[in-house]
PDB file of all heavy atoms in Angstrom:
ATOM      1  N   CYS L  16      -3.920  18.309 -23.344  1.00  0.00           N
ATOM      2  CA  CYS L  16      -5.057  19.218 -23.437  1.00  0.00           C
ATOM      3  C   CYS L  16      -4.539  20.650 -23.246  1.00  0.00           C
ATOM      4  O   CYS L  16      -5.018  21.382 -22.362  1.00  0.00           O
ATOM      5  CB  CYS L  16      -6.126  18.886 -22.397  1.00  0.00           C
ATOM      6  SG  CYS L  16      -6.801  17.232 -22.498  1.00  0.00           S
ATOM      7  N   LEU L  17      -3.588  21.031 -24.039  1.00  0.00           N
ATOM      8  CA  LEU L  17      -2.904  22.301 -23.920  1.00  0.00           C
ATOM      9  C   LEU L  17      -3.355  23.292 -24.972  1.00  0.00           C
ATOM     10  O   LEU L  17      -3.941  22.915 -25.991  1.00  0.00           O
ATOM     11  CB  LEU L  17      -1.409  22.071 -24.019  1.00  0.00           C
ATOM     12  CG  LEU L  17      -0.771  21.164 -22.973  1.00  0.00           C
ATOM     13  CD1 LEU L  17       0.610  20.752 -23.334  1.00  0.00           C
ATOM     14  CD2 LEU L  17      -0.778  21.886 -21.618  1.00  0.00           C
ATOM     15  N   GLY L  18      -3.094  24.550 -24.750  1.00  0.00           N
ATOM     16  CA  GLY L  18      -3.357  25.561 -25.771  1.00  0.00           C
ATOM     17  C   GLY L  18      -2.563  25.306 -26.992  1.00  0.00           C
ATOM     18  O   GLY L  18      -1.471  24.692 -26.972  1.00  0.00           O
ATOM     19  N   HIS L  19      -3.088  25.779 -28.112  1.00  0.00           N
ATOM     20  CA  HIS L  19      -2.414  25.547 -29.390  1.00  0.00           C
ATOM     21  C   HIS L  19      -1.003  26.055 -29.374  1.00  0.00           C
ATOM     22  O   HIS L  19      -0.734  27.199 -28.960  1.00  0.00           O
ATOM     23  CB  HIS L  19      -3.246  26.219 -30.521  1.00  0.00           C
ATOM     24  CG  HIS L  19      -4.624  25.653 -30.608  1.00  0.00           C
ATOM     25  ND1 HIS L  19      -4.926  24.319 -30.540  1.00  0.00           N
ATOM     26  CD2 HIS L  19      -5.816  26.295 -30.786  1.00  0.00           C
ATOM     27  CE1 HIS L  19      -6.247  24.163 -30.662  1.00  0.00           C
ATOM     28  NE2 HIS L  19      -6.808  25.317 -30.784  1.00  0.00           N
ATOM     29  N   GLY L  20      -0.091  25.241 -29.839  1.00  0.00           N
ATOM     30  CA  GLY L  20       1.314  25.588 -29.836  1.00  0.00           C
ATOM     31  C   GLY L  20       2.101  25.118 -28.643  1.00  0.00           C
ATOM     32  O   GLY L  20       3.339  25.155 -28.626  1.00  0.00           O
ATOM     33  N   ASN L  21       1.400  24.650 -27.592  1.00  0.00           N
ATOM     34  CA  ASN L  21       2.084  24.294 -26.324  1.00  0.00           C
ATOM     35  C   ASN L  21       2.430  22.834 -26.237  1.00  0.00           C
ATOM     36  O   ASN L  21       3.217  22.423 -25.341  1.00  0.00           O
ATOM     37  CB  ASN L  21       1.238  24.706 -25.119  1.00  0.00           C
ATOM     38  CG  ASN L  21       1.187  26.205 -24.969  1.00  0.00           C
ATOM     39  OD1 ASN L  21       2.193  26.885 -25.151  1.00  0.00           O
ATOM     40  ND2 ASN L  21       0.015  26.742 -24.649  1.00  0.00           N
ATOM     41  N   SER L  22       1.881  21.972 -27.095  1.00  0.00           N
ATOM     42  CA  SER L  22       2.182  20.550 -27.038  1.00  0.00           C
ATOM     43  C   SER L  22       3.656  20.303 -27.389  1.00  0.00           C
ATOM     44  O   SER L  22       4.332  19.490 -26.750  1.00  0.00           O
ATOM     45  CB  SER L  22       1.283  19.742 -27.961  1.00  0.00           C
ATOM     46  OG  SER L  22      -0.060  19.839 -27.524  1.00  0.00           O
ATOM     47  N   VAL L  23       4.151  20.983 -28.412  1.00  0.00           N
ATOM     48  CA  VAL L  23       5.563  20.868 -28.782  1.00  0.00           C
ATOM     49  C   VAL L  23       6.448  21.266 -27.641  1.00  0.00           C
ATOM     50  O   VAL L  23       7.448  20.577 -27.316  1.00  0.00           O
ATOM     51  CB  VAL L  23       5.880  21.724 -30.042  1.00  0.00           C
ATOM     52  CG1 VAL L  23       7.378  21.856 -30.232  1.00  0.00           C
ATOM     53  CG2 VAL L  23       5.268  21.051 -31.303  1.00  0.00           C
ATOM     54  N   LYS L  24       6.130  22.351 -26.964  1.00  0.00           N
ATOM     55  CA  LYS L  24       6.915  22.836 -25.842  1.00  0.00           C
ATOM     56  C   LYS L  24       6.951  21.807 -24.699  1.00  0.00           C
ATOM     57  O   LYS L  24       7.992  21.507 -24.130  1.00  0.00           O
ATOM     58  CB  LYS L  24       6.382  24.161 -25.315  1.00  0.00           C
ATOM     59  CG  LYS L  24       6.473  25.339 -26.283  1.00  0.00           C
ATOM     60  CD  LYS L  24       5.860  26.584 -25.687  1.00  0.00           C
ATOM     61  CE  LYS L  24       5.822  27.715 -26.711  1.00  0.00           C
ATOM     62  NZ  LYS L  24       5.095  28.887 -26.167  1.00  0.00           N
ATOM     63  N   PHE L  25       5.800  21.234 -24.440  1.00  0.00           N
ATOM     64  CA  PHE L  25       5.701  20.288 -23.313  1.00  0.00           C
ATOM     65  C   PHE L  25       6.522  18.999 -23.649  1.00  0.00           C
ATOM     66  O   PHE L  25       7.272  18.510 -22.821  1.00  0.00           O
ATOM     67  CB  PHE L  25       4.279  19.929 -22.994  1.00  0.00           C
ATOM     68  CG  PHE L  25       4.161  18.968 -21.851  1.00  0.00           C
ATOM     69  CD1 PHE L  25       4.133  19.444 -20.537  1.00  0.00           C
ATOM     70  CD2 PHE L  25       4.078  17.590 -22.053  1.00  0.00           C
ATOM     71  CE1 PHE L  25       4.028  18.563 -19.485  1.00  0.00           C
ATOM     72  CE2 PHE L  25       4.011  16.713 -21.007  1.00  0.00           C
ATOM     73  CZ  PHE L  25       3.987  17.203 -19.693  1.00  0.00           C
ATOM     74  N   LEU L  26       6.315  18.492 -24.829  1.00  0.00           N
ATOM     75  CA  LEU L  26       7.013  17.237 -25.207  1.00  0.00           C
ATOM     76  C   LEU L  26       8.515  17.455 -25.362  1.00  0.00           C
ATOM     77  O   LEU L  26       9.341  16.547 -25.136  1.00  0.00           O
ATOM     78  CB  LEU L  26       6.449  16.689 -26.500  1.00  0.00           C
ATOM     79  CG  LEU L  26       5.010  16.148 -26.447  1.00  0.00           C
ATOM     80  CD1 LEU L  26       4.551  15.706 -27.810  1.00  0.00           C
ATOM     81  CD2 LEU L  26       4.904  15.002 -25.433  1.00  0.00           C
ATOM     82  N   SER L  27       8.920  18.697 -25.652  1.00  0.00           N
ATOM     83  CA  SER L  27      10.349  19.024 -25.744  1.00  0.00           C
ATOM     84  C   SER L  27      10.994  19.004 -24.366  1.00  0.00           C
ATOM     85  O   SER L  27      12.159  18.710 -24.184  1.00  0.00           O
ATOM     86  CB  SER L  27      10.585  20.347 -26.398  1.00  0.00           C
ATOM     87  OG  SER L  27      10.124  20.349 -27.767  1.00  0.00           O
ATOM     88  N   ALA L  28      10.177  19.316 -23.338  1.00  0.00           N
ATOM     89  CA  ALA L  28      10.700  19.433 -21.992  1.00  0.00           C
ATOM     90  C   ALA L  28      10.502  18.206 -21.139  1.00  0.00           C
ATOM     91  O   ALA L  28      11.020  18.129 -20.004  1.00  0.00           O
ATOM     92  CB  ALA L  28      10.052  20.653 -21.301  1.00  0.00           C
ATOM     93  N   ASN L  29       9.704  17.230 -21.613  1.00  0.00           N
ATOM     94  CA  ASN L  29       9.371  16.047 -20.808  1.00  0.00           C
ATOM     95  C   ASN L  29       9.529  14.800 -21.626  1.00  0.00           C
ATOM     96  O   ASN L  29       9.208  14.758 -22.821  1.00  0.00           O
ATOM     97  CB  ASN L  29       7.939  16.136 -20.311  1.00  0.00           C
ATOM     98  CG  ASN L  29       7.708  17.274 -19.320  1.00  0.00           C
ATOM     99  OD1 ASN L  29       7.894  17.122 -18.126  1.00  0.00           O
ATOM    100  ND2 ASN L  29       7.344  18.445 -19.858  1.00  0.00           N
ATOM    101  N   THR L  30      10.015  13.735 -20.974  1.00  0.00           N
ATOM    102  CA  THR L  30      10.280  12.481 -21.670  1.00  0.00           C
ATOM    103  C   THR L  30       9.374  11.401 -21.125  1.00  0.00           C
ATOM    104  O   THR L  30       9.182  11.287 -19.903  1.00  0.00           O
ATOM    105  CB  THR L  30      11.759  12.030 -21.441  1.00  0.00           C
ATOM    106  OG1 THR L  30      12.620  13.062 -21.940  1.00  0.00           O
ATOM    107  CG2 THR L  30      12.035  10.739 -22.193  1.00  0.00           C
ATOM    108  N   PHE L  31       8.837  10.555 -22.015  1.00  0.00           N
ATOM    109  CA  PHE L  31       7.971   9.472 -21.633  1.00  0.00           C
ATOM    110  C   PHE L  31       8.492   8.154 -22.216  1.00  0.00           C
ATOM    111  O   PHE L  31       9.360   8.163 -23.107  1.00  0.00           O
ATOM    112  CB  PHE L  31       6.501   9.736 -22.089  1.00  0.00           C
ATOM    113  CG  PHE L  31       5.892  10.858 -21.362  1.00  0.00           C
ATOM    114  CD1 PHE L  31       6.031  12.140 -21.796  1.00  0.00           C
ATOM    115  CD2 PHE L  31       5.170  10.622 -20.205  1.00  0.00           C
ATOM    116  CE1 PHE L  31       5.466  13.232 -21.105  1.00  0.00           C
ATOM    117  CE2 PHE L  31       4.596  11.674 -19.492  1.00  0.00           C
ATOM    118  CZ  PHE L  31       4.764  12.993 -19.933  1.00  0.00           C
ATOM    119  N   SER L  32       7.990   7.052 -21.678  1.00  0.00           N
ATOM    120  CA  SER L  32       8.407   5.746 -22.144  1.00  0.00           C
ATOM    121  C   SER L  32       8.178   5.609 -23.638  1.00  0.00           C
ATOM    122  O   SER L  32       7.261   6.162 -24.198  1.00  0.00           O
ATOM    123  CB  SER L  32       7.599   4.648 -21.379  1.00  0.00           C
ATOM    124  OG  SER L  32       7.671   3.453 -22.081  1.00  0.00           O
ATOM    125  N   ASP L  33       9.029   4.768 -24.278  1.00  0.00           N
ATOM    126  CA  ASP L  33       8.868   4.479 -25.719  1.00  0.00           C
ATOM    127  C   ASP L  33       7.513   3.782 -25.971  1.00  0.00           C
ATOM    128  O   ASP L  33       7.044   3.776 -27.110  1.00  0.00           O
ATOM    129  CB  ASP L  33      10.008   3.622 -26.239  1.00  0.00           C
ATOM    130  CG  ASP L  33      11.307   4.353 -26.324  1.00  0.00           C
ATOM    131  OD1 ASP L  33      11.268   5.595 -26.325  1.00  0.00           O
ATOM    132  OD2 ASP L  33      12.361   3.716 -26.346  1.00  0.00           O
ATOM    133  N   ASP L  34       6.912   3.187 -24.919  1.00  0.00           N
ATOM    134  CA  ASP L  34       5.649   2.491 -25.057  1.00  0.00           C
ATOM    135  C   ASP L  34       4.477   3.393 -24.847  1.00  0.00           C
ATOM    136  O   ASP L  34       3.308   2.975 -25.061  1.00  0.00           O
ATOM    137  CB  ASP L  34       5.594   1.316 -24.068  1.00  0.00           C
ATOM    138  CG  ASP L  34       6.622   0.254 -24.349  1.00  0.00           C
ATOM    139  OD1 ASP L  34       6.907   0.022 -25.528  1.00  0.00           O
ATOM    140  OD2 ASP L  34       7.169  -0.329 -23.381  1.00  0.00           O
ATOM    141  N   THR L  35       4.680   4.608 -24.414  1.00  0.00           N
ATOM    142  CA  THR L  35       3.553   5.559 -24.128  1.00  0.00           C
ATOM    143  C   THR L  35       2.998   6.071 -25.441  1.00  0.00           C
ATOM    144  O   THR L  35       3.672   6.655 -26.258  1.00  0.00           O
ATOM    145  CB  THR L  35       4.055   6.736 -23.265  1.00  0.00           C
ATOM    146  OG1 THR L  35       4.537   6.225 -22.014  1.00  0.00           O
ATOM    147  CG2 THR L  35       2.897   7.694 -23.012  1.00  0.00           C
ATOM    148  N   LYS L  36       1.693   5.863 -25.610  1.00  0.00           N
ATOM    149  CA  LYS L  36       0.981   6.456 -26.753  1.00  0.00           C
ATOM    150  C   LYS L  36       0.564   7.897 -26.399  1.00  0.00           C
ATOM    151  O   LYS L  36       0.341   8.195 -25.220  1.00  0.00           O
ATOM    152  CB  LYS L  36      -0.237   5.620 -27.121  1.00  0.00           C
ATOM    153  CG  LYS L  36       0.086   4.154 -27.465  1.00  0.00           C
ATOM    154  CD  LYS L  36      -1.164   3.370 -27.811  1.00  0.00           C
ATOM    155  CE  LYS L  36      -0.908   1.888 -27.895  1.00  0.00           C
ATOM    156  NZ  LYS L  36      -0.042   1.520 -28.996  1.00  0.00           N
ATOM    157  N   ILE L  37       0.487   8.736 -27.420  1.00  0.00           N
ATOM    158  CA  ILE L  37       0.206  10.163 -27.162  1.00  0.00           C
ATOM    159  C   ILE L  37      -0.970  10.586 -28.039  1.00  0.00           C
ATOM    160  O   ILE L  37      -0.977  10.287 -29.265  1.00  0.00           O
ATOM    161  CB  ILE L  37       1.409  11.062 -27.468  1.00  0.00           C
ATOM    162  CG1 ILE L  37       2.587  10.671 -26.537  1.00  0.00           C
ATOM    163  CG2 ILE L  37       1.052  12.527 -27.312  1.00  0.00           C
ATOM    164  CD1 ILE L  37       3.889  11.416 -26.891  1.00  0.00           C
ATOM    165  N   ILE L  38      -1.952  11.253 -27.454  1.00  0.00           N
ATOM    166  CA  ILE L  38      -3.071  11.845 -28.183  1.00  0.00           C
ATOM    167  C   ILE L  38      -3.052  13.336 -27.885  1.00  0.00           C
ATOM    168  O   ILE L  38      -3.291  13.749 -26.743  1.00  0.00           O
ATOM    169  CB  ILE L  38      -4.400  11.190 -27.757  1.00  0.00           C
ATOM    170  CG1 ILE L  38      -4.381   9.690 -28.065  1.00  0.00           C
ATOM    171  CG2 ILE L  38      -5.572  11.879 -28.510  1.00  0.00           C
ATOM    172  CD1 ILE L  38      -5.596   8.953 -27.538  1.00  0.00           C
ATOM    173  N   ASP L  39      -2.793  14.147 -28.899  1.00  0.00           N
ATOM    174  CA  ASP L  39      -2.727  15.607 -28.743  1.00  0.00           C
ATOM    175  C   ASP L  39      -4.057  16.234 -29.158  1.00  0.00           C
ATOM    176  O   ASP L  39      -4.480  16.081 -30.313  1.00  0.00           O
ATOM    177  CB  ASP L  39      -1.570  16.181 -29.576  1.00  0.00           C
ATOM    178  CG  ASP L  39      -1.508  17.689 -29.472  1.00  0.00           C
ATOM    179  OD1 ASP L  39      -1.808  18.215 -28.394  1.00  0.00           O
ATOM    180  OD2 ASP L  39      -1.137  18.343 -30.466  1.00  0.00           O
ATOM    181  N   LEU L  40      -4.692  16.961 -28.241  1.00  0.00           N
ATOM    182  CA  LEU L  40      -5.972  17.618 -28.561  1.00  0.00           C
ATOM    183  C   LEU L  40      -5.780  19.029 -29.089  1.00  0.00           C
ATOM    184  O   LEU L  40      -6.725  19.701 -29.432  1.00  0.00           O
ATOM    185  CB  LEU L  40      -6.880  17.628 -27.341  1.00  0.00           C
ATOM    186  CG  LEU L  40      -7.643  16.306 -27.032  1.00  0.00           C
ATOM    187  CD1 LEU L  40      -6.724  15.289 -26.383  1.00  0.00           C
ATOM    188  CD2 LEU L  40      -8.866  16.568 -26.188  1.00  0.00           C
ATOM    189  N   GLY L  41      -4.508  19.465 -29.200  1.00  0.00           N
ATOM    190  CA  GLY L  41      -4.238  20.775 -29.785  1.00  0.00           C
ATOM    191  C   GLY L  41      -4.010  20.630 -31.296  1.00  0.00           C
ATOM    192  O   GLY L  41      -4.246  19.618 -31.893  1.00  0.00           O
ATOM    193  N   ASN L  42      -3.485  21.738 -31.895  1.00  0.00           N
ATOM    194  CA  ASN L  42      -3.328  21.742 -33.361  1.00  0.00           C
ATOM    195  C   ASN L  42      -1.906  21.600 -33.817  1.00  0.00           C
ATOM    196  O   ASN L  42      -1.578  21.766 -34.995  1.00  0.00           O
ATOM    197  CB  ASN L  42      -3.961  22.988 -33.954  1.00  0.00           C
ATOM    198  CG  ASN L  42      -3.134  24.263 -33.636  1.00  0.00           C
ATOM    199  OD1 ASN L  42      -2.185  24.213 -32.851  1.00  0.00           O
ATOM    200  ND2 ASN L  42      -3.533  25.400 -34.220  1.00  0.00           N
ATOM    201  N   ASP L  43      -1.001  21.224 -32.885  1.00  0.00           N
ATOM    202  CA  ASP L  43       0.414  21.242 -33.196  1.00  0.00           C
ATOM    203  C   ASP L  43       0.838  20.256 -34.312  1.00  0.00           C
ATOM    204  O   ASP L  43       1.785  20.483 -35.031  1.00  0.00           O
ATOM    205  CB  ASP L  43       1.245  20.934 -31.941  1.00  0.00           C
ATOM    206  CG  ASP L  43       1.175  22.047 -30.929  1.00  0.00           C
ATOM    207  OD1 ASP L  43       0.116  22.755 -30.902  1.00  0.00           O
ATOM    208  OD2 ASP L  43       2.133  22.256 -30.149  1.00  0.00           O
ATOM    209  N   PHE L  44       0.111  19.116 -34.414  1.00  0.00           N
ATOM    210  CA  PHE L  44       0.605  18.048 -35.300  1.00  0.00           C
ATOM    211  C   PHE L  44      -0.465  17.635 -36.348  1.00  0.00           C
ATOM    212  O   PHE L  44      -0.368  16.588 -36.995  1.00  0.00           O
ATOM    213  CB  PHE L  44       0.955  16.796 -34.455  1.00  0.00           C
ATOM    214  CG  PHE L  44       1.879  17.113 -33.325  1.00  0.00           C
ATOM    215  CD1 PHE L  44       1.459  17.008 -32.016  1.00  0.00           C
ATOM    216  CD2 PHE L  44       3.188  17.482 -33.549  1.00  0.00           C
ATOM    217  CE1 PHE L  44       2.295  17.309 -30.964  1.00  0.00           C
ATOM    218  CE2 PHE L  44       4.054  17.772 -32.526  1.00  0.00           C
ATOM    219  CZ  PHE L  44       3.602  17.701 -31.202  1.00  0.00           C
ATOM    220  N   ARG L  45      -1.467  18.467 -36.551  1.00  0.00           N
ATOM    221  CA  ARG L  45      -2.569  18.070 -37.448  1.00  0.00           C
ATOM    222  C   ARG L  45      -2.228  18.126 -38.954  1.00  0.00           C
ATOM    223  O   ARG L  45      -2.744  17.360 -39.723  1.00  0.00           O
ATOM    224  CB  ARG L  45      -3.801  18.970 -37.147  1.00  0.00           C
ATOM    225  CG  ARG L  45      -4.455  18.691 -35.833  1.00  0.00           C
ATOM    226  CD  ARG L  45      -5.543  19.726 -35.574  1.00  0.00           C
ATOM    227  NE  ARG L  45      -6.048  19.600 -34.202  1.00  0.00           N
ATOM    228  CZ  ARG L  45      -6.781  20.520 -33.597  1.00  0.00           C
ATOM    229  NH1 ARG L  45      -7.049  21.692 -34.206  1.00  0.00           N
ATOM    230  NH2 ARG L  45      -7.229  20.313 -32.359  1.00  0.00           N
ATOM    231  N   LEU L  46      -1.395  19.072 -39.307  1.00  0.00           N
ATOM    232  CA  LEU L  46      -1.102  19.280 -40.728  1.00  0.00           C
ATOM    233  C   LEU L  46       0.092  18.421 -41.148  1.00  0.00           C
ATOM    234  O   LEU L  46       0.992  18.116 -40.384  1.00  0.00           O
ATOM    235  CB  LEU L  46      -0.805  20.775 -41.001  1.00  0.00           C
ATOM    236  CG  LEU L  46      -1.950  21.715 -40.672  1.00  0.00           C
ATOM    237  CD1 LEU L  46      -1.555  23.130 -41.079  1.00  0.00           C
ATOM    238  CD2 LEU L  46      -3.243  21.312 -41.372  1.00  0.00           C
ATOM    239  N   GLU L  47       0.057  18.007 -42.398  1.00  0.00           N
ATOM    240  CA  GLU L  47       1.092  17.119 -42.950  1.00  0.00           C
ATOM    241  C   GLU L  47       2.492  17.653 -42.702  1.00  0.00           C
ATOM    242  O   GLU L  47       3.388  16.926 -42.392  1.00  0.00           O
ATOM    243  CB  GLU L  47       0.853  16.905 -44.443  1.00  0.00           C
ATOM    244  CG  GLU L  47       1.627  15.805 -45.085  1.00  0.00           C
ATOM    245  CD  GLU L  47       1.166  14.413 -44.669  1.00  0.00           C
ATOM    246  OE1 GLU L  47       0.022  14.264 -44.160  1.00  0.00           O
ATOM    247  OE2 GLU L  47       1.963  13.475 -44.854  1.00  0.00           O
ATOM    248  N   ALA L  48       2.638  18.974 -42.792  1.00  0.00           N
ATOM    249  CA  ALA L  48       3.974  19.578 -42.643  1.00  0.00           C
ATOM    250  C   ALA L  48       4.477  19.541 -41.191  1.00  0.00           C
ATOM    251  O   ALA L  48       5.648  19.650 -40.934  1.00  0.00           O
ATOM    252  CB  ALA L  48       3.932  21.030 -43.113  1.00  0.00           C
ATOM    253  N   ASP L  49       3.544  19.312 -40.245  1.00  0.00           N
ATOM    254  CA  ASP L  49       3.903  19.351 -38.804  1.00  0.00           C
ATOM    255  C   ASP L  49       3.807  18.014 -38.126  1.00  0.00           C
ATOM    256  O   ASP L  49       4.013  17.924 -36.935  1.00  0.00           O
ATOM    257  CB  ASP L  49       2.984  20.319 -38.086  1.00  0.00           C
ATOM    258  CG  ASP L  49       2.969  21.713 -38.659  1.00  0.00           C
ATOM    259  OD1 ASP L  49       4.066  22.192 -39.103  1.00  0.00           O
ATOM    260  OD2 ASP L  49       1.901  22.349 -38.700  1.00  0.00           O
ATOM    261  N   LYS L  50       3.466  16.958 -38.851  1.00  0.00           N
ATOM    262  CA  LYS L  50       3.080  15.705 -38.186  1.00  0.00           C
ATOM    263  C   LYS L  50       4.239  14.943 -37.554  1.00  0.00           C
ATOM    264  O   LYS L  50       3.988  14.059 -36.701  1.00  0.00           O
ATOM    265  CB  LYS L  50       2.309  14.809 -39.152  1.00  0.00           C
ATOM    266  CG  LYS L  50       3.154  14.113 -40.236  1.00  0.00           C
ATOM    267  CD  LYS L  50       2.307  13.207 -41.066  1.00  0.00           C
ATOM    268  CE  LYS L  50       3.150  12.394 -42.055  1.00  0.00           C
ATOM    269  NZ  LYS L  50       2.372  11.479 -42.860  1.00  0.00           N
ATOM    270  N   VAL L  51       5.454  15.179 -37.983  1.00  0.00           N
ATOM    271  CA  VAL L  51       6.617  14.474 -37.410  1.00  0.00           C
ATOM    272  C   VAL L  51       7.338  15.356 -36.413  1.00  0.00           C
ATOM    273  O   VAL L  51       7.729  16.492 -36.700  1.00  0.00           O
ATOM    274  CB  VAL L  51       7.589  14.023 -38.505  1.00  0.00           C
ATOM    275  CG1 VAL L  51       8.808  13.329 -37.906  1.00  0.00           C
ATOM    276  CG2 VAL L  51       6.901  13.113 -39.527  1.00  0.00           C
ATOM    277  N   PHE L  52       7.465  14.839 -35.183  1.00  0.00           N
ATOM    278  CA  PHE L  52       8.127  15.567 -34.130  1.00  0.00           C
ATOM    279  C   PHE L  52       9.101  14.654 -33.402  1.00  0.00           C
ATOM    280  O   PHE L  52       8.684  13.624 -32.846  1.00  0.00           O
ATOM    281  CB  PHE L  52       7.104  16.108 -33.121  1.00  0.00           C
ATOM    282  CG  PHE L  52       7.717  16.721 -31.900  1.00  0.00           C
ATOM    283  CD1 PHE L  52       8.304  17.965 -31.946  1.00  0.00           C
ATOM    284  CD2 PHE L  52       7.690  16.011 -30.673  1.00  0.00           C
ATOM    285  CE1 PHE L  52       8.896  18.485 -30.782  1.00  0.00           C
ATOM    286  CE2 PHE L  52       8.251  16.540 -29.535  1.00  0.00           C
ATOM    287  CZ  PHE L  52       8.863  17.799 -29.574  1.00  0.00           C
ATOM    288  N   GLU L  53      10.369  14.996 -33.454  1.00  0.00           N
ATOM    289  CA  GLU L  53      11.419  14.153 -32.820  1.00  0.00           C
ATOM    290  C   GLU L  53      11.282  12.658 -33.184  1.00  0.00           C
ATOM    291  O   GLU L  53      11.374  11.787 -32.293  1.00  0.00           O
ATOM    292  CB  GLU L  53      11.418  14.385 -31.313  1.00  0.00           C
ATOM    293  CG  GLU L  53      11.805  15.802 -30.913  1.00  0.00           C
ATOM    294  CD  GLU L  53      11.901  15.965 -29.415  1.00  0.00           C
ATOM    295  OE1 GLU L  53      11.497  15.038 -28.673  1.00  0.00           O
ATOM    296  OE2 GLU L  53      12.399  17.050 -28.961  1.00  0.00           O
ATOM    297  N   GLY L  54      11.030  12.402 -34.455  1.00  0.00           N
ATOM    298  CA  GLY L  54      10.913  11.033 -34.941  1.00  0.00           C
ATOM    299  C   GLY L  54       9.536  10.414 -34.699  1.00  0.00           C
ATOM    300  O   GLY L  54       9.284   9.288 -35.149  1.00  0.00           O
ATOM    301  N   LYS L  55       8.610  11.120 -34.054  1.00  0.00           N
ATOM    302  CA  LYS L  55       7.279  10.628 -33.799  1.00  0.00           C
ATOM    303  C   LYS L  55       6.345  11.119 -34.911  1.00  0.00           C
ATOM    304  O   LYS L  55       6.215  12.327 -35.103  1.00  0.00           O
ATOM    305  CB  LYS L  55       6.746  11.083 -32.471  1.00  0.00           C
ATOM    306  CG  LYS L  55       7.572  10.683 -31.248  1.00  0.00           C
ATOM    307  CD  LYS L  55       7.017  11.316 -29.989  1.00  0.00           C
ATOM    308  CE  LYS L  55       7.777  10.863 -28.724  1.00  0.00           C
ATOM    309  NZ  LYS L  55       9.162  11.491 -28.711  1.00  0.00           N
ATOM    310  N   ALA L  56       5.758  10.204 -35.654  1.00  0.00           N
ATOM    311  CA  ALA L  56       4.833  10.578 -36.732  1.00  0.00           C
ATOM    312  C   ALA L  56       3.391  10.497 -36.222  1.00  0.00           C
ATOM    313  O   ALA L  56       2.918   9.420 -35.876  1.00  0.00           O
ATOM    314  CB  ALA L  56       5.060   9.676 -37.924  1.00  0.00           C
ATOM    315  N   PHE L  57       2.722  11.642 -36.201  1.00  0.00           N
ATOM    316  CA  PHE L  57       1.333  11.726 -35.728  1.00  0.00           C
ATOM    317  C   PHE L  57       0.364  11.412 -36.852  1.00  0.00           C
ATOM    318  O   PHE L  57       0.517  11.889 -37.973  1.00  0.00           O
ATOM    319  CB  PHE L  57       1.047  13.115 -35.143  1.00  0.00           C
ATOM    320  CG  PHE L  57       1.625  13.316 -33.759  1.00  0.00           C
ATOM    321  CD1 PHE L  57       3.013  13.523 -33.556  1.00  0.00           C
ATOM    322  CD2 PHE L  57       0.822  13.301 -32.664  1.00  0.00           C
ATOM    323  CE1 PHE L  57       3.512  13.705 -32.307  1.00  0.00           C
ATOM    324  CE2 PHE L  57       1.328  13.473 -31.380  1.00  0.00           C
ATOM    325  CZ  PHE L  57       2.689  13.661 -31.192  1.00  0.00           C
TER     326      PHE L  57
END
């Protein structure tokens, strides 16, 4: 529940289990061009 643009920063700085599901309420991964982050496809 971060400000727009801050989800990428947070996930870059913190690691979670491979089993952890992620729901981003910001706009970082909504567009097709931005949906893949470090191998995670949103």
Side-chain angles (χ1 to χ4, degrees):
C16 301
L17 298 167
H19 300 316
N21 289 320
S22 295
V23 165
K24 294 177 186 176
F25 182 85
L26 292 177
S27 297
N29 294 272
T30 302
F31 292 87
S32 162
D33 289 341
D34 295 324
T35 300
K36 301 179 191 294
I37 298 173
I38 300 174
D39 179 34
L40 281 77
N42 70 354
D43 291 30
F44 309 112
R45 291 173 187 164
L46 299 183
E47 193 71 18
D49 304 322
K50 73 176 186 179
V51 178
F52 171 75
E53 294 185 349
K55 301 175 179 70
F57 282 75

